[in-house]
Amino acid sequence: MSPEQTAPEALHEVRSGFQSKVKSFDNPVRHPLLFIYEIIQWQFQLLFYVFQWFADKLFSPIPPGPSTRLGRPKVAIIGAGITGVTSAAHCIGHGFDVVIFEAGDENNLGGIWSKVNNTSSLQIHSFMYRFHPTVKWQHGYPDRQQIISQVRQLWERYGLDTRTKFNTKVEKVYQDGKGRWIINNPANGRFEGVIAAVGTCGDPKMPRIDGMDKFKNPIYHSSQLTGVDAKGKSMIIIGGGASAVEALEFASEEGASKIYILSRSDKWIIPRNWVVDVLLSLNIWGQETMLSVVPEALLKKFFYRDLQDLAPSDKGLFMDTPMVNSDVMDKLRSGQAEWIRCDIEGFTENGLLINKRDKGVPKGGPGQHVNLEGDMVVMATGYKRPSLSFLPEDCFKEPYGPPNWYLQTFPPQHPSISAINCTLLSGIGTVGNWHIGIYTRILLMFLVDPLTRPSTFWMERWIDMTKLLKATSPTGAFDFFTYLELIWWFVFCVAINPFRWKWMTFVFFGLGYALPKHVVATEDQIRNGMGLAEADEEVRDVGKSF
């Protein structure tokens, strides 16, 4: 369903989809349980289509016309990935002008999704990956092409194609004498707000391993597998995270004869099931607690089953981002893939020398040396984290450096800067969901209404409070969080300050901007009568509220 569809057109498309789906159902007499499951699955898909259509109509900001002149405050957005394009669309839709600065060319539109393999797909259900209300997913787990297509549609719909500066690497963000932000140099304009949206995944990480030059066969990074012939070949995958799972999916789809996954440590794997994923993201404490043993035990019994040896024994479920995949278990059970806990000693001519360890033996501990042969090696070693060093130096002042920022994205010294999805370390939920819009609208609220803009003192107190509440966490207070904890942060942020109450529907749903804007205008008249500066005349990077 396209964003411009009317209700009859959308209904016709759903009806056509239903007719084709009915034809694919299993015979209810021969396979009654499977038939019932397919009916339930289709009903959910139907409701999801309807939900997406209504979400677009209710919550999508209306794109401005070609001749519409957008006002200030003006926002600089650094990065043209999902977060950058989404936050820019929200700004434009609410009448705030933007400029997107992207270090790469137009082929980099979509961020990390522009760099992965064509076979890569969303690991979580698309219900949890609604980065903008206009997004229309056709499948529960869309692939790279579908995701890039949605980003590009959003980019074009809100006229961001004329507001994006490609091949412009941001090296410095600083203020002029009036407190306005300058990106690199004054020729790029002046801005009241800055959104850093460089993400957490930059260039591929390719560590050097002893003996690499000896290996006679090809070595690839996991993001460079498109077009590689793996049919009938054995593949060794170095790494045990999300990149390894994507490489495993590629190898299986291409018909590899044998797949080895070499992991230095154990990592939690959870089912590719939206119900399970949502339930786990509802841990409001955002940390490992006494109750965490319940979901961990259920996962071991009903998901891992005969593969419980792979479940971590030294790490709780709510300490690190789990892998989301069900197929990996099936491939391990079938013998197509083998998961090996080991240390890499070095390359040989035909493969790798590894130190295979038993469960519970730490990295570098004693084990068995094994020569593992393979036709190709895939480095599933992830990506380098993009630097935030272009931000002002005082953003990194200890103990309030990233990720220890207000709401994890606002440096306490600068309420007009928001580093959305840049400071994430680990969590359960997703970085591509509704919170991008909420963070963006909180920044807009701070820029427009000085009575909502927190001071450095109060932002630091919120950080201290969160650290205190999570004092028993085995990780840092902001090193891991769940989606419900994130929602709690937002609710607390708005509820604690009465001057923000009028912005509530705008912040959470993007609705009702006219009312708080009118109230701010009235407050300006009062301030003007008292001889104080109006909202538009104040330095928008200085907070005085709580």
Side-chain angles (χ1 to χ4, degrees):
M1 291 186 289
S2 66
E4 292 78 15
Q5 276 184 314
T6 62
E9 290 172 338
L11 186 61
H12 173 73
E13 183 173 326
V14 171
R15 188 184 296 115
S16 300
F18 171 72
Q19 291 171 349
S20 62
K21 185 68 178 177
V22 167
K23 294 178 182 178
S24 67
F25 283 162
D26 281 271
N27 189 307
V29 177
R30 294 181 179 178
H31 306 285
L33 294 179
L34 188 58
F35 177 78
I36 293 173
Y37 171 77
E38 288 174 337
I39 288 290
I40 295 173
Q41 189 179 45
W42 179 84
Q43 288 179 331
F44 170 76
Q45 189 175 5
L46 174 63
L47 290 173
F48 187 43
Y49 278 139
V50 174
F51 164 76
Q52 290 188 117
W53 188 84
F54 275 105
D56 179 24
K57 300 305 176 186
L58 290 175
F59 303 118
S60 293
I62 299 174
S67 59
T68 303
R69 183 176 179 180
L70 300 177
R72 303 193 83 94
K74 191 175 183 180
V75 181
I77 296 175
I78 303 169
I82 283 180
T83 301
V85 172
T86 300
S87 56
H90 281 292
C91 291
I92 291 289
H94 294 301
F96 300 89
D97 203 1
V98 302
V99 175
I100 300 177
F101 297 89
E102 167 57 45
D105 58 22
E106 192 170 331
N107 293 324
N108 288 76
L109 188 68
I112 185 60
W113 285 105
S114 68
K115 303 175 183 179
V116 297
N117 304 302
N118 288 337
T119 56
S120 297
S121 61
L122 200 59
Q123 295 298 317
I124 57 173
H125 195 279
S126 54
F127 177 75
M128 302 173 68
Y129 206 73
R130 297 199 50 76
F131 49 84
H132 194 274
T134 62
V135 170
K136 300 290 193 307
W137 299 121
Q138 299 297 325
H139 305 287
Y141 301 94
D143 59 20
R144 170 189 179 273
Q145 290 89 338
Q146 296 174 58
I147 295 170
I148 291 295
S149 174
Q150 289 294 320
V151 175
R152 181 167 286 276
Q153 287 181 38
L154 182 64
W155 184 65
E156 293 173 348
R157 183 184 184 188
Y158 284 89
L160 300 173
D161 48 343
T162 62
R163 294 179 169 88
T164 304
K165 292 187 176 184
F166 290 108
N167 300 308
T168 306
K169 183 179 180 180
V170 174
E171 298 178 342
K172 182 170 62 173
V173 174
Y174 62 99
Q175 290 176 304
D176 65 9
K178 296 182 179 180
R180 294 173 300 183
W181 293 108
I182 295 174
I183 310 299
N184 287 343
N185 60 73
N188 288 318
R190 287 171 167 79
F191 304 87
E192 282 73 32
V194 175
I195 293 177
V198 295
T200 60
C201 298
D203 295 329
K205 188 188 299 181
M206 284 284 284
R208 291 291 305 171
I209 298 177
D210 289 344
M212 265 185 165
D213 298 335
K214 299 178 184 177
F215 188 56
K216 295 180 179 180
N217 297 323
I219 301 174
Y220 304 97
H221 188 267
S222 58
S223 64
Q224 301 165 342
L225 296 176
T226 298
V228 172
D229 180 18
K231 186 175 180 62
K233 298 179 180 179
S234 58
M235 177 185 290
I236 302 175
I237 301 172
I238 297 178
S243 297
V245 171
E246 288 191 357
L248 171 65
E249 289 179 337
F250 169 86
S252 177
E253 188 171 314
E254 293 297 314
S257 60
K258 183 69 176 181
I259 309 163
Y260 301 97
I261 303 174
L262 311 184
S263 177
R264 293 188 64 194
S265 59
D266 297 327
K267 193 177 181 73
W268 280 99
I269 307 173
I270 61 178
R272 208 179 190 187
N273 182 297
W274 73 272
V275 176
V276 174
D277 300 343
V278 168
L279 289 175
L280 291 176
S281 69
L282 295 181
N283 175 0
I284 195 170
W285 293 280
Q287 62 181 22
E288 191 77 3
T289 67
M290 293 173 57
L291 298 176
S292 301
V293 296
V294 176
E296 291 168 4
L298 291 174
L299 283 172
K300 290 179 181 178
K301 183 173 180 60
F302 296 106
F303 181 60
Y304 281 87
R305 302 199 306 272
D306 55 319
L307 298 174
Q308 291 190 26
D309 180 67
L310 298 180
S313 57
D314 59 344
K315 182 189 300 180
L317 179 59
F318 299 97
M319 293 174 61
D320 193 9
T321 303
M323 289 187 291
V324 185
N325 196 281
S326 300
D327 294 340
V328 63
M329 295 302 196
D330 297 332
K331 292 177 175 62
L332 291 172
R333 290 189 178 99
S334 69
Q336 182 183 9
E338 183 178 348
W339 192 288
I340 303 176
R341 184 187 301 107
C342 65
D343 301 303
I344 309 295
E345 298 294 323
F347 276 82
T348 63
E349 288 187 355
N350 300 311
L352 288 163
L353 176 64
I354 62 173
N355 180 43
K356 188 176 180 180
R357 293 180 277 109
D358 284 343
K359 185 179 180 68
V361 178
K363 301 174 186 177
Q368 178 188 12
H369 278 198
V370 176
N371 275 303
L372 200 62
E373 295 188 354
D375 296 315
M376 64 180 68
V377 171
V378 175
M379 304 290 288
T381 45
Y383 301 84
K384 299 176 183 177
R385 178 179 283 270
S387 174
L388 289 170
S389 59
F390 54 80
L391 293 177
E393 193 171 330
D394 56 356
C395 293
F396 305 93
K397 185 179 179 181
E398 294 184 5
Y400 302 107
N404 302 306
W405 284 350
Y406 182 65
L407 302 181
Q408 206 190 41
T409 66
F410 292 90
Q413 294 78 13
H414 300 288
S416 62
I417 293 177
S418 184
I420 306 175
N421 289 341
C422 295
T423 59
L424 171 74
L425 292 177
S426 300
I428 293 183
T430 171
V431 297
N433 212 342
W434 289 77
H435 69 278
I436 299 175
I438 295 176
Y439 270 129
T440 302
R441 292 188 291 269
I442 288 176
L443 174 67
L444 296 178
M445 174 180 70
F446 289 168
L447 294 177
V448 171
D449 189 350
L451 294 179
T452 67
R453 195 180 306 140
S455 67
T456 298
F457 174 84
W458 285 112
M459 285 197 282
E460 290 177 349
R461 299 295 76 74
W462 180 87
I463 296 168
D464 294 339
M465 178 194 73
T466 303
K467 288 182 177 180
L468 180 62
L469 291 175
K470 300 182 73 173
T472 59
S473 172
T475 65
F478 297 94
D479 293 356
F480 182 96
F481 67 92
T482 61
Y483 212 76
L484 188 58
E485 183 187 13
L486 183 63
I487 298 301
W488 149 248
W489 291 353
F490 293 148
V491 171
F492 181 88
C493 167
V494 174
I496 194 65
N497 188 331
F499 294 111
R500 297 175 189 159
W501 294 354
K502 60 183 178 290
W503 293 94
M504 188 176 299
T505 57
F506 174 73
V507 166
F508 288 106
F509 307 108
L511 303 174
Y513 176 65
L515 173 61
K517 185 179 180 182
H518 178 73
V519 173
V520 171
T522 303
E523 293 169 348
D524 275 347
Q525 294 177 0
I526 298 174
R527 275 193 290 265
N528 191 36
M530 298 174 63
L532 301 175
E534 297 182 8
D536 286 341
E537 297 173 349
E538 291 193 7
V539 177
R540 300 177 197 263
D541 192 48
V542 177
K544 299 179 181 178
S545 190
F546 58 92

